[in-house]
């Protein structure tokens, strides 16, 4: 989604800001802009399209001396919500005096009423955005103290915001604040960088402060002063970023997505390392922060998330019921938050989110806590809002995921869920021997994934054959059902092929009507319970002319023969096999998209983290 960068220090602000925006490009956006201060003037350049367009425009409209002089500025990548991605709607927005500039992530819900009131006072607006209204409101509140003006304005807005504001009248500071949209402040040596995401900061410093909701900070080149909206000073710790700048580079791969697919053996090793107890046949997940008694008393596990994280939750559902003998449910976070769920203190709510910032998942966490459930999170981004609000949880340690299409986060989420199910299971009905067996299977996940990645050339050759189709169906049963859903999601988001995932049994309840000669059906026919029934469904599809690509188990020649094409994955436990199976589908989708010439890392209309409802 939208990205914010702010800079104040000794360097050339425009270059720092543009480099920062580049690091946020992965989040998805459709226009960009920046504002710098030159003496008493706010200079703004904005452009629809990519940061490269903005960079060229900045170079052609601003003199090199101006660029070198200006050492304070704010910048933004916008993912259109209110109004199309035009130059006028791009951020930064100015107030009526044109001396205050604002960049904003989030949504000001009462902007229409505020706009009407300001128009009544003679304000003119040039854009359709809620953000311009906030800029004018800050200007309207400014009686000579920018911090106070921002505070007064924020008291009047309803909705969510992460903002950075500068004023030509106070050129030594940037004011930044958050409610529901993340802000991280990088504390450098004589320079301070503000961003909506640490990846824009890591090239400058690893020392960061995460703002909490309703924090508002005065940021200078060498100080950060934080207060709450009632002007009461608050203290926030300086944290150390656990990522390095190289992690945000492609490292020789054509796309971040391919790099991240290849990183999975290492990412999974990091996820699993130190978390398996092979003597006891259990998992060591201190982040679950529950005593064996509490675990034994849990009556239900509710897994909430969105998109790919929701699909990981579905694999978790099978694992919790199979291994831990505990009733498990999965729910789309947006639905969960609004349907007034029945929850109590023996319910264990697990919020799954790579970014830790997804608005609906965060709201689900708040709802679950309100209702007294035991809440924990599975996040990848350290220090993210969901991780901090839940207080307890298990980090994925998968490393930064830059590609919009999630890959390594999914496999790490599944690995953690399997370990959680094992830990819970050992407190219930799983024997030590069975626990040891399962722990060893989990331990082998990185090497299983490496074996799938080693087949990339073959997978690419198959993918090429399927790349001209406009429709595809993915089918599976048991734990392969969520893999089918995830495979379809991957394919549609990066290749724009219309892809649907179905339970294999569901196909003949309607979707089979869509099969025609040559329609691709990707069948998850791994050798686990239920495979024979899936093969029956494959025959039904074949009888209607479908072209079948099977994801099968190594050495299963009979199943291979039932397919037009197949990708074989290593044999392992049924739950564990979800991981190599999904990796095969990630590679398949990637290569299909590549052969269709798609913009893989930043698919149209998509954003990396969805911080609005
Ligand atoms: C798909 C994808 C999305 C995310 C979803 C939730 O490839 O990336 O479906 O999984 O937006 O995001 P997180 O996990 O950050 O909450």
């Amino acid at each position: 989604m939208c990205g914010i960068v702010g800079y104040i220090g000794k360097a050339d602000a425009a270059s720092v800001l543009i480099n920062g925006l580049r690091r946020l490009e992965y989040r998805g956006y459709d226009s960009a802009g920046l504002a710098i201060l030159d003496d008493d003037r706010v200079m703004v350049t904005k452009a629809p399209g990519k940061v490269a367009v903005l960079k060229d425009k900045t170079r052609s409209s601003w003199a090199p001396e101006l660029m070198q002089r200006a050492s304070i500025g704010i910048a933004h990548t916008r993912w259109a919500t209110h109004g199309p991605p035009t130059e006028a709607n791009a951020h930064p927005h100015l107030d009526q005096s044109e001396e205050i500039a604002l960049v904003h992530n989030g949504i000001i819900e009462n902007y229409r009423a505020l706009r009407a009131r300001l128009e009544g006072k003679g304000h003119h607006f040039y854009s359709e955005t809620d953000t311009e209204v906030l800029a004018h409101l800050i200007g309207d509140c400014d009686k000579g103290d920018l911090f106070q003006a921002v505070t007064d304005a924020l008291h009047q807005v309803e909705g969510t915001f992460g903002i950075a504001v500068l004023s030509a009248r106070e050129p030594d500071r940037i004011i930044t604040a958050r409610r529901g949209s993340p802000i991280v402040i990088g504390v450098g040596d004589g320079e301070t960088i503000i961003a909506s995401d640490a990846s824009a900061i890591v090239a400058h410093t690893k020392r960061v402060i995460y703002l909490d909701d309703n924090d508002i900070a005065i940021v200078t080149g060498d100080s950060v002063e934080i207060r709450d909206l009632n002007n009461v000073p608050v203290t926030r710790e300086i944290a150390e970023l656990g990522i390095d700048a190289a992690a945000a580079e492609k490292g020789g791969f054509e796309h971040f997505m391919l790099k991240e697919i290849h990183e999975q053996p290492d990412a999974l090793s990091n996820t699993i390392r130190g978390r398996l107890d092979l003597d006891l046949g259990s998992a060591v997940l201190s982040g679950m922060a529950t005593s064996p008694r509490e675990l034994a008393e849990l009556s239900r596990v509710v897994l909430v998330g969105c998109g790919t994280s929701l699909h990981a939750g579905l694999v978790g559902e099978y694992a919790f019921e199979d291994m831990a003998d505990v009733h498990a449910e999965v729910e789309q976070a947006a639905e969960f938050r609004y349907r007034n769920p029945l929850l109590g203190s023996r319910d264990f709510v697990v919020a799954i989110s790579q970014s830790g910032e997804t608005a609906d998942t965060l709201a689900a966490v708040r709802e679950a806590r309100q209702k007294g459930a035991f809440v924990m999170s599975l996040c990848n981004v350290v220090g993210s809002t969901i991780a901090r609000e839940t207080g307890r949880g298990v980090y994925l340690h998968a490393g930064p995921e830059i590609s919009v299409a999630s890959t390594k986060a999914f496999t790490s989420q599944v690995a953690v869920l399997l370990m959680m199910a094992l830990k819970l299971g050992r407190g219930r009905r799983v024997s030590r021997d069975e626990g040891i067996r399962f722990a060893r299977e989990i331990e082998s996940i990185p090497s299983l994934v490496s074996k799938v990645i080693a087949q990339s050339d073959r997978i690419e050759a198959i993918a090429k054959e399927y790349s001209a189709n406009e429709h595809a169906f993915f089918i599976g049963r048991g734990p392969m059902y969520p893999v089918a859903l995830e495979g379809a999601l991957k394919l549609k988001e990066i290749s724009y092929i219309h892809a649907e995932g179905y339970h294999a049994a569901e196909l003949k309840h309607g979707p089979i009507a869509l099969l025609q000669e040559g329609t691709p059906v990707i069948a998850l026919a791994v050798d686990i319970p239920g495979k024979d029934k899936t093969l029956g469904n494959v025959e039904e599809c074949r009888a209607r002319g479908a072209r079948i690509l099977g994801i099968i188990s190594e050495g299963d020649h009979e199943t291979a023969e039932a397919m037009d094409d197949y990708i074989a994955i290593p044999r392992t436990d049924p739950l564990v096999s979800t991981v190599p199976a999904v990796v095969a589908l990630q590679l398949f989708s990637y290569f299909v998209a590549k052969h269709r010439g798609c913009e893989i890392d930043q698919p149209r209309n998509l954003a990396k983290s969805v911080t609005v409802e």
Side-chain angles (χ1 to χ4, degrees):
M1 298 230 104
C2 307
I4 287 177
V5 191
Y7 178 80
I8 178 163
K10 296 171 280 200
D12 144 13
S15 303
V16 173
L17 294 171
I18 284 174
N19 286 336
L21 290 184
R22 282 229 144 109
R23 302 230 173 227
L24 298 183
E25 282 195 294
Y26 75 96
R27 299 174 65 90
Y29 68 102
D30 32 43
S31 60
L34 83 160
I36 51 174
L37 279 186
D38 181 43
D39 293 333
D40 296 344
R41 285 177 312 155
V42 181
M43 313 281 296
V44 179
T45 299
K46 310 196 276 192
K50 296 291 176 199
V51 172
V53 178
L54 176 72
K55 184 178 176 187
D56 290 347
K57 195 168 172 192
T58 309
R59 290 246 163 96
S60 59
S61 45
W62 291 346
E65 313 82 71
L66 162 66
M67 303 263 284
Q68 278 152 20
R69 247 188 345 253
S71 56
I72 169 171
I74 55 177
H76 193 258
T77 45
R78 172 174 185 259
W79 187 78
T81 55
H82 294 70
T86 58
E87 182 174 335
N89 286 333
H91 302 200
H93 286 285
L94 297 176
D95 77 324
Q96 182 81 356
S97 71
E98 300 192 348
E99 290 186 328
I100 293 174
L102 163 75
V103 290
H104 165 226
N105 288 355
I107 291 181
I108 305 300
E109 285 163 7
N110 59 336
Y111 81 103
R112 283 197 184 82
L114 293 169
R115 180 171 171 145
R117 200 177 81 206
L118 290 163
E119 278 170 342
K121 292 171 93 173
H123 288 246
H124 295 289
F125 293 92
Y126 298 97
S127 77
E128 297 156 75
T129 66
D130 51 338
T131 303
E132 190 184 15
V133 175
L134 179 56
H136 277 241
L137 185 63
I138 293 169
D140 195 57
C141 293
D142 192 4
K143 308 286 180 278
D145 179 346
L146 183 64
F147 174 82
Q148 196 54 51
V150 175
T151 307
D152 291 347
L154 293 181
H155 273 293
Q156 299 175 53
V157 304
E158 289 160 21
T160 54
F161 52 80
I163 57 168
V165 191
L166 56 74
S167 166
R169 298 190 285 269
E170 294 177 50
D172 64 336
R173 63 195 52 204
I174 297 173
I175 308 296
T176 182
R178 74 158 274 172
R179 182 191 295 156
S181 198
I183 291 286
V184 193
I185 302 172
V187 183
D189 184 13
E191 61 180 4
T192 313
I193 306 104
I194 296 161
S196 51
D197 176 328
S199 45
I201 292 178
V202 67
H204 295 264
T205 177
K206 290 194 173 182
R207 301 176 72 227
V208 294
I209 299 171
Y210 295 97
L211 291 193
D212 275 354
D213 273 355
N214 297 315
D215 282 355
I216 169 161
I218 304 169
V219 172
T220 70
D222 48 23
S223 68
V224 177
E225 188 187 331
I226 307 172
R227 303 187 198 161
D228 67 15
L229 281 180
N230 297 318
N231 219 342
V232 177
V234 291
T235 309
R236 303 281 171 234
E237 299 295 314
I238 296 186
E240 191 78 13
L241 280 179
I243 52 174
D244 59 36
E249 305 289 348
K250 282 189 204 149
F253 286 92
E254 198 174 340
H255 296 99
F256 279 111
M257 182 177 178
L258 189 61
K259 176 184 176 225
E260 287 160 12
I261 292 172
H262 278 254
E263 278 172 352
Q264 287 177 112
D266 284 344
L268 284 157
S269 298
N270 291 336
T271 302
I272 295 166
R273 187 173 303 117
R275 288 172 165 170
L276 287 173
D277 182 333
L278 292 164
D279 284 335
L280 277 181
S282 186
V284 187
L285 297 167
S286 51
M288 278 172 82
T290 27
S291 65
R293 173 183 286 269
E294 279 174 316
L295 288 183
E297 282 175 358
L298 287 174
S299 64
R300 189 168 61 136
V301 177
V302 183
L303 302 133
V304 293
C306 302
T308 289
S309 295
L310 180 70
H311 296 157
L314 284 164
V315 177
E317 181 182 24
Y318 287 92
F320 281 110
E321 296 202 337
D322 261 25
M323 298 286 305
D325 210 13
V326 61
H327 179 64
E329 303 169 9
V330 186
E331 194 153 341
Q332 211 285 340
E335 190 57 25
F336 177 88
R337 68 183 286 197
Y338 283 121
R339 85 178 161 82
N340 198 13
L342 287 175
L343 287 172
S345 59
R346 293 176 61 212
D347 290 323
F348 188 29
V349 175
V350 184
I352 308 172
S353 175
Q354 187 285 130
S355 62
E357 302 294 346
T358 299
D360 285 321
T361 311
L362 176 58
V365 163
R366 291 177 178 159
E367 183 62 23
R369 290 181 70 186
Q370 187 66 30
K371 293 211 152 99
F374 183 98
V375 186
M376 66 166 280
S377 59
L378 250 67
C379 293
N380 192 35
V381 178
V382 176
S384 56
T385 309
I386 292 173
R388 287 184 297 131
E389 285 211 11
T390 47
R392 64 189 132 205
V394 179
Y395 279 121
L396 303 180
H397 298 314
E401 192 179 68
I402 307 288
S403 164
V404 166
S406 185
T407 53
K408 61 179 179 171
F410 177 86
T411 48
S412 288
Q413 285 164 345
V414 170
V416 172
L417 289 164
L418 296 182
M419 290 189 283
M420 285 175 65
L422 173 62
K423 181 177 161 91
L424 210 55
R426 284 289 283 128
R428 293 174 173 237
R429 72 180 170 103
V430 174
S431 68
R432 177 168 174 268
D433 283 356
E434 174 56 10
I436 291 172
R437 183 201 66 78
F438 195 64
R440 288 201 192 289
E441 299 278 8
I442 295 175
E443 198 187 24
S444 74
I445 291 178
S447 72
L448 301 175
V449 169
S450 295
K451 287 182 184 153
V452 178
I453 292 173
Q455 299 181 60
S456 289
D457 289 349
R458 174 179 156 74
I459 298 175
E460 176 164 13
I462 294 171
K464 195 172 171 198
E465 302 257 311
Y466 285 78
S467 59
N469 289 285
E470 291 308 323
H471 304 275
F473 294 89
F474 289 69
I475 57 170
R477 286 170 184 262
M480 288 297 148
Y481 167 50
V483 174
L485 297 181
E486 177 59 10
L489 178 61
K490 276 306 77 93
L491 187 65
K492 77 181 99 178
E493 65 185 334
I494 59 167
S495 74
Y496 313 139
I497 290 175
H498 169 229
E500 300 289 346
Y502 284 103
H503 191 282
E506 195 58 26
L507 210 62
K508 57 178 170 287
H509 294 282
I512 202 165
L514 294 167
L515 295 188
Q516 293 177 3
E517 199 57 40
T519 306
V521 172
I522 293 88
L524 278 301
V526 175
D527 198 8
I528 62 173
K531 180 194 82 173
D532 290 342
K533 294 195 188 310
T534 301
L535 289 181
N537 304 125
V538 162
E539 287 314 315
E540 291 157 6
C541 296
R542 187 197 291 294
R544 272 116 195 131
R547 178 173 182 179
I548 317 287
L549 166 61
I551 308 299
I552 68 166
S553 298
E554 237 169 32
D556 187 351
H557 303 297
E558 209 178 312
T559 301
E561 272 168 27
M563 307 294 165
D564 293 300
D565 308 285
Y566 68 87
I567 301 166
I569 63 164
R571 284 179 181 271
T572 177
D573 171 273
L575 287 164
V576 171
S577 64
T578 54
V579 177
V582 95
V583 174
L585 296 183
Q586 292 168 353
L587 283 165
F588 174 74
S589 301
Y590 172 81
F591 288 122
V592 167
K594 185 178 153 195
H595 284 282
R596 287 167 73 88
C598 299
E599 217 182 311
I600 293 176
D601 282 332
Q602 290 157 41
R604 70 180 178 220
N605 303 339
L606 295 184
K608 181 64 184 161
S609 102
V610 182
T611 50
V612 294
E613 281 188 55

